Amino acid sequence: MIVLALLLAIAAFACLALAMERHHRDVTGHAPAVARRRPLRLLGCAGLVASLTASIGAWGVAWGVVGWCGVLAAAAGAVVLWLSFRSPALPARPSSRS
């Protein structure tokens, strides 16, 4: 259950990051459409709730919430590392302003 909570939190944070224009453009090369942002946000929020449910199922209510905070920290760190060290989707174009 703990691994499930971590995987759900990672997927949720990835969805929330892709719902942002800058991160979506960095990953895919284009800005997200408005019709794509809302489902990504909903999936991200639903994933965080599912992660909380899995943490409570594994540790009980009191320790589940505390453990979930640790799971969130680990998942956020994983997504930050993914966004920072991944290969760029498109090669960088030279700026026309230089």
Side-chain angles (χ1 to χ4, degrees):
M1 287 293 255
I2 299 166
V3 174
L4 177 64
L6 180 64
L7 292 176
L8 286 169
I10 289 172
F13 280 134
C15 287
L16 290 173
L18 289 175
M20 298 173 65
E21 185 175 340
R22 177 179 176 178
H23 297 311
H24 195 280
R25 183 177 288 126
D26 289 344
V27 172
T28 63
H30 56 83
V34 176
R36 178 175 274 179
R37 283 187 199 173
R38 184 162 291 152
L40 284 171
R41 286 183 190 146
L42 290 174
L43 277 173
C45 292
L48 291 178
V49 170
S51 175
L52 174 62
T53 305
S55 293
I56 289 173
W59 289 310
V61 176
W63 285 107
V65 174
V66 174
W68 183 59
C69 291
V71 166
L72 289 182
V79 173
V80 165
L81 288 174
W82 169 65
L83 287 172
S84 297
F85 296 111
R86 63 168 184 72
S87 302
L90 298 173
R93 289 187 258 169
S95 174
S96 62
R97 295 181 182 182
S98 55

